Amino acid sequence: SSHQIGKFVSSLAAKQPTPGGGAAAAVGAAIGSAAASMSAAYTQRKKDRESGASEKAETLIASMDLEKCLAAADDDEAAYADLQRSWKDTSMSSEE
C-alpha cells in the first residue's frame, strides 16, 4: 500500500470516506498474515521437522500473500471513488 501505517490509521480515523472499512479489513488481514508467517517461521526445529509441523508451517507461509492483502486496501479506495463518480453521473440509470 502507498500509506505508511501511522498515516493510514490517522486517515482511517478522520471524517472522510476513504480509507474505509474494506481497506481496514485488508490491512488487518495483511498484519494477521504477517504475524502467522512469523510464527510459522519459528517452527523449524528438529522436533518440528520430525512431527511434520515444519512442513505445515512452510505450507502456511507459502499460502500467505501480503501484497495481495495490501493491494486490496488500495482497490477498496479506488472502488469507492468509482462509486462516488457513479452518483454524479446523471446518464446512468438506477439499475446501473
Side-chain angles (χ1 to χ4, degrees):
S1 175
S2 59
H3 288 340
Q4 297 273 334
I5 191 69
K7 183 178 176 186
F8 176 81
V9 171
S10 293
S11 295
L12 185 62
K15 185 180 177 184
Q16 58 190 31
T18 60
V27 170
I31 292 170
S33 295
S37 292
M38 179 187 64
S39 297
Y42 280 100
T43 310
Q44 302 300 319
R45 299 168 295 185
K46 181 180 177 183
K47 69 179 186 177
D48 297 325
R49 288 188 297 277
E50 290 170 353
S51 72
S54 178
E55 184 179 328
K56 291 176 184 175
E58 289 171 9
T59 300
L60 175 69
I61 292 168
S63 73
M64 301 293 177
D65 190 342
L66 305 180
E67 290 302 317
K68 186 174 182 180
C69 290
L70 293 175
D74 292 334
D75 292 346
D76 181 66
E77 188 170 347
Y80 189 79
D82 289 343
L83 178 63
Q84 282 185 313
R85 276 192 295 281
S86 75
W87 293 336
K88 296 174 185 175
D89 188 348
T90 58
S91 68
M92 293 179 73
S93 68
S94 60
E95 289 81 32
E96 293 178 278

